[in-house]
Amino acid sequence: MAEMTYRDAVARAIAQEMRLDPSVVFLGEDVGAAGGVFKATVGLLDSFGPTRVVDTPISEQAILGAAMGAAMTGLRPIAEIMFSDFFAVCWDIVANEIAKTRYMTNGQVRLPLVIRSGNGGGVRFGAQHSQSVENWAMAVPGLKVVAPSTPKDVVGLLAASIRDTDPVLFFEQKSLYSTKGEVPDGEIVDELGRASMLRDGTAATIVALAGMVPRAMAAADQLASEGIDVTVIDLRSLVPLDVTTVATSVAQTGHLVTVEENPRLCGWGAELASIIAEENLFDLDGPIVRVTTPHVPLPAADALEDAAMPDVTKIVDGVRRSLR
Amino acid sequence: MTARTEQPSGAGAAVANGVPALDARLRVYQMMVEMRDFEKRAYDLFLQGLVKGTSHLGLGQEAVAAGFGAAMRPEDYTFATYRGHNHTLARGVPMARIMAELMGRELGLMAGKGGSMHLTSVEHRMMGSYAIVGAHLTIANGAAWSSKLRGTGEVTVCFFGDGTTNIGAFHEALNLAAVWHLPVVFVCENNRWMEYTPIRSVTAVDHPAADRAPAYGLSASVVDGNDADVVYSVATSAIERARSGGGPSLVEAETYRHGGHSRADPGKYRPDDEVAAWLARDPIPALRHRLLDAGVPEARLVAIEQASLAAVDEATAQAQASPAPPRSLVERDVFADGGASWRR
Ligand SMILES: Cc1ncc(C[n+]2csc(CCOP(=O)(O)OP(=O)(O)O)c2C)c(N)n1
């Protein structure tokens, strides 16, 4: 067991899988010699060489097209899209090509590939380098969507994503890169589609993802100091979506609060809320509350960005509104 | 600078003095005749309402698909566009499976889940027909990259139209192919028209693909895409170059579609004299004449032509006899477990 940052966990997972499987290759902008703009892939070029760790031109379509063609023909590529906002310039390859090809070909083509990307706000980069786009990905049939909150989950879920036979979009929350956590020694492989319950309480169920998880935990601490004990669930992946864990918890607490970094409309919490309302309505003792970033592009100034994103105060207030 | 070769050299043993070996020419002739008969039938079936949705015919452009198809080895990869019936036939995919796919039947190559624009047969290394202009050039690179890393000697051939040369993916793909020195051949079928707009009205250079490729470090040639011998020769040398580590190249084949862009489009936006001039340069009678001149008995060509019509009849009958795909396919194969479930 060692303490490790979220960013170092990325390199550790990729190295673990590249060591085990010679068909794993890694490509992206500045990922090799520079170790990535977030320094999340330092050391991989030295360990695995320029044939398997490849610096690309600034050509997001060409990067993802190369990953797709390689995955069709026997490799397991990991591609990096530096900032998830840049998915907008290569969304055709993601949404039309990668996501649809297994289906259109009646299962002839398999696409075992991972696209990693720095996602979300909290780092004052402004609207074009800060958006949380996991809800774009979730809206496309054929993609798996994973977003870890801890270094341990980065290793286990990234390894599982690389081994998965389907294309996975792997969202790394940028403000978490410097955070630390304990990571067990040795090979770690987790399972996609399993939420984890981080805190068990009877008053309400808070469901959070990625960068919102530590905030939800802090809100739970504050509520506990007032005698309100809540459950906190880290969803960890949006596709597959672990409805069972959430519904089981809501059956016990009677209250559901989602904490979403994505802009409000069609955020993942809206889907979860609709499922719970449709299938578990009579378990609810109060309204489902969604705490989200408002439907705005993210502003740059620290004061404004902080004001836009869900924080402890808004989450605590959300729980109170559900309990009222 | 762009090399404008009408008669490419160095094409290897399959081509001597610019003339392919007779067995290759006969194979190309047979492929072209089958493509022509198949697509004419597909058009009839479209008019009868049996082929639904849309279909894009390559009538008139057969020499490109056939010439390259004959020059490829079974392990090589094809990437094509929505105008991909001929490129699929050229890999030896059974006609009935393609016809059934066009008709939305269970026997279809993808059991009706893809349709005319997405013909794919991984078994035949036909790695897909793609309907978003330009995207597949980047995907073709990936297959070629994989062949290079795996050291297999496979070559990827990627077909696209003139209109594709103005979308970003074309430029990203050519650059990456060159910097990674990939075993890929890009084949632009310049049929002068995008959908309903002539390429020259939206492009400042004469050869939209071949004039750009050298700027990315690719060698390029412009050839008569209606001359099957020329296409086969240039295909043989470009594929051989890629296979032997010589890197990517681009061929711009000048050709013309006899009909409209898609469906029942009569193509009336094109000047009559332009259409007439290109109809007179139909690649199939052209090769037929040359084969006769080379001493091939006419009976041999007639036998090819009769067998082709019989094969199309048989494929049509098989496709028509096939039932509609089962509704259960709707929720199959979104994910690798065979299903569509996104929750647990
Ligand atoms: C990105 C994109 N834009 C527009 C279209 C609509 N479209 C389909 S075919 C076509 C013309 C393409 O022309 P060209 O590349 O010359 O190929 P051709 O159809 O002549 O074979 C257009 C504009 C599309 N499918 N994809």
Side-chain angles (χ1 to χ4, degrees):
Chain A
M1 190 76 95
E3 188 165 73
M4 160 176 284
T5 59
Y6 188 94
R7 67 160 50 84
D8 289 342
V10 173
R12 173 162 160 193
I14 296 174
Q16 171 185 304
E17 295 307 300
M18 290 188 86
R19 212 163 279 129
L20 290 170
D21 182 350
S23 70
V24 177
V25 291
F26 176 43
L27 75 164
E29 296 161 15
D30 300 313
V31 298
V37 291
F38 301 113
K39 299 289 171 221
T41 57
V42 172
L44 294 173
L45 177 63
D46 288 342
S47 298
F48 300 101
T51 306
R52 294 179 68 196
V53 177
V54 188
D55 282 317
T56 67
I58 306 167
S59 300
E60 278 76 9
Q61 294 188 71
I63 292 168
L64 296 190
M68 175 172 169
M72 292 171 94
T73 53
L75 299 186
R76 283 186 181 267
I78 306 164
E80 175 174 312
I81 295 299
M82 191 185 283
F83 286 78
S84 63
D85 311 71
F86 308 164
F87 271 117
V89 303
C90 53
W91 201 237
D92 170 49
I93 311 290
V94 177
N96 281 316
E97 317 298 340
I98 289 172
K100 293 176 181 172
T101 293
R102 164 176 285 278
Y103 188 83
M104 292 196 301
T105 63
N106 197 29
Q108 290 181 62
V109 172
R110 57 204 280 283
L111 291 170
L113 63 88
V114 177
I115 308 172
R116 300 175 36 243
S117 192
N119 187 46
V123 284
R124 289 61 167 116
F125 283 176
Q128 294 183 342
H129 288 70
S130 299
Q131 193 165 344
S132 255
V133 306
E134 60 272 16
N135 58 333
W136 299 2
M138 191 188 187
V140 179
L143 303 176
K144 289 182 176 169
V145 184
V146 177
S149 72
T150 66
K152 177 170 174 248
D153 281 357
V154 166
V155 180
L157 293 174
L158 185 48
S161 300
I162 295 165
R163 293 184 195 189
D164 202 271
T165 314
D166 290 313
V168 178
L169 266 57
F170 193 86
F171 290 108
E172 296 158 16
Q173 216 289 347
K174 295 194 286 289
S175 71
L176 295 179
Y177 276 125
S178 58
T179 59
K180 290 184 174 166
E182 293 291 328
V183 181
D185 298 329
E187 186 184 326
I188 307 179
V189 191
D190 209 323
E191 189 186 345
L192 303 185
R194 232 169 249 291
S196 48
M197 196 188 290
L198 301 180
R199 185 178 177 124
D200 195 2
T202 54
T205 303
I206 303 179
V207 182
L209 184 78
M212 297 297 100
V213 172
R215 297 177 188 210
M217 289 296 281
D221 284 342
Q222 186 175 318
L223 287 161
S225 71
E226 301 170 21
I228 303 170
D229 274 317
V230 298
T231 288
V232 176
I233 293 172
D234 178 354
L235 216 41
R236 306 199 315 157
S237 91
L238 297 178
V239 181
L241 184 66
D242 187 354
V243 175
T244 306
T245 296
V246 175
T248 305
S249 173
V250 170
Q252 286 156 10
T253 65
H255 296 272
L256 174 62
V257 177
T258 65
V259 186
E260 304 162 52
E261 188 179 337
N262 46 222
R264 183 161 185 98
L265 297 191
C266 305
W268 56 262
E271 183 57 45
L272 197 58
S274 90
I275 295 170
I276 297 298
E278 192 169 330
E279 300 175 16
N280 307 87
L281 183 66
F282 301 109
D283 289 335
L284 290 170
D285 298 321
I288 298 171
V289 173
R290 294 179 60 214
V291 181
T292 74
T293 300
H295 208 58
V296 298
L298 269 193
D302 48 1
L304 295 177
E305 190 183 47
D306 288 343
M309 290 171 69
D311 60 12
V312 170
T313 308
K314 291 179 192 172
I315 299 167
V316 167
D317 176 61
V319 172
R320 290 217 179 89
R321 275 189 286 140
S322 181
L323 294 179
R324 211 168 31 221
Chain B
M1 282 277 81
T2 311
R4 303 251 158 87
T5 41
E6 292 296 324
Q7 294 290 337
S9 57
V15 180
N17 300 324
V19 182
L22 185 61
D23 63 335
R25 298 176 92 188
L26 285 169
R27 202 159 72 246
V28 169
Y29 184 70
Q30 179 183 340
M31 281 173 152
M32 290 202 297
V33 169
E34 289 175 0
M35 291 168 182
R36 177 69 55 93
D37 291 339
F38 177 91
E39 285 207 312
K40 281 164 79 177
R41 179 65 53 83
Y43 187 69
D44 289 345
L45 294 171
F46 181 84
L47 295 180
Q48 291 169 40
L50 287 167
V51 169
K52 305 195 174 106
T54 189
S55 93
H56 302 72
L57 305 179
L59 292 171
Q61 303 182 198
E62 294 91 345
V64 183
F68 271 88
M72 292 170 78
R73 289 193 194 154
E75 69 268 26
D76 294 339
Y77 295 115
T78 295
F79 286 80
T81 73
Y82 48 86
R83 198 180 302 288
H85 305 158
N86 294 342
H87 311 82
T88 308
L89 286 165
R91 299 313 306 274
V93 178
M95 266 185 198
R97 303 281 319 272
I98 306 175
M99 197 63 95
E101 187 65 31
L102 267 53
M103 293 171 68
R105 304 299 172 99
E106 188 174 24
L107 178 67
L109 210 43
M110 298 93 80
K113 290 180 81 173
S116 157
M117 296 207 283
H118 299 296
L119 299 176
T120 305
S121 181
V122 171
E123 182 193 342
H124 297 89
R125 301 253 161 156
M126 169 61 196
M127 302 307 285
S129 311
Y130 296 81
I132 309 293
V133 163
H136 68 300
L137 279 77
T138 71
I139 305 165
N141 275 345
W145 180 42
S146 158
S147 298
K148 187 176 172 178
L149 293 194
R150 291 180 292 115
T152 58
E154 301 149 348
V155 172
T156 294
V157 180
C158 179
F159 300 90
F160 54 95
D162 44 275
T164 304
T165 63
N166 287 323
I167 200 163
F170 167 85
H171 299 270
E172 290 193 15
L174 261 57
N175 179 59
L176 198 74
V179 290
W180 286 5
H181 205 66
L182 296 177
V184 60
V185 182
F186 294 108
V187 184
C188 176
E189 296 181 44
N190 183 353
N191 64 13
R192 294 173 175 247
W193 292 79
M194 302 185 289
E195 287 183 326
Y196 316 114
T197 305
I199 186 69
R200 68 180 140 66
S201 72
V202 296
T203 312
V205 294
D206 288 340
H207 293 98
D211 286 349
R212 272 98 166 249
Y216 295 109
L218 267 81
S219 84
S221 52
V222 178
V223 300
D224 180 351
N226 277 21
D227 184 327
D229 289 336
V230 166
V231 173
Y232 178 82
S233 304
V234 78
T236 304
S237 56
I239 290 168
E240 172 53 29
R241 171 200 174 102
R243 203 181 314 281
S244 59
S249 60
L250 179 143
V251 175
E252 181 171 328
E254 298 190 298
T255 184
Y256 204 72
R257 57 169 148 81
H258 286 178
H261 169 69
S262 67
R263 295 166 58 89
D265 167 27
K268 286 294 181 213
Y269 38 87
R270 304 178 302 179
D272 290 343
D273 54 344
E274 179 182 295
V275 176
W278 280 94
L279 284 174
R281 296 181 51 196
D282 188 330
I284 297 177
L287 183 59
R288 194 179 200 277
H289 282 133
R290 266 193 256 143
L291 288 171
L292 291 174
D293 287 348
V296 176
E298 184 156 29
R300 190 152 175 201
L301 302 180
V302 170
I304 287 174
E305 290 151 10
Q306 285 173 344
S308 168
L309 278 177
V312 171
D313 283 343
E314 170 63 21
T316 308
Q318 278 186 39
Q320 275 190 288
S322 172
R327 294 169 66 112
S328 60
L329 285 188
V330 170
E331 298 206 37
R332 283 202 56 77
D333 267 313
V334 174
F335 295 112
D337 62 6
S341 175
W342 47 268
R343 57 179 276 187
R344 57 176 294 276

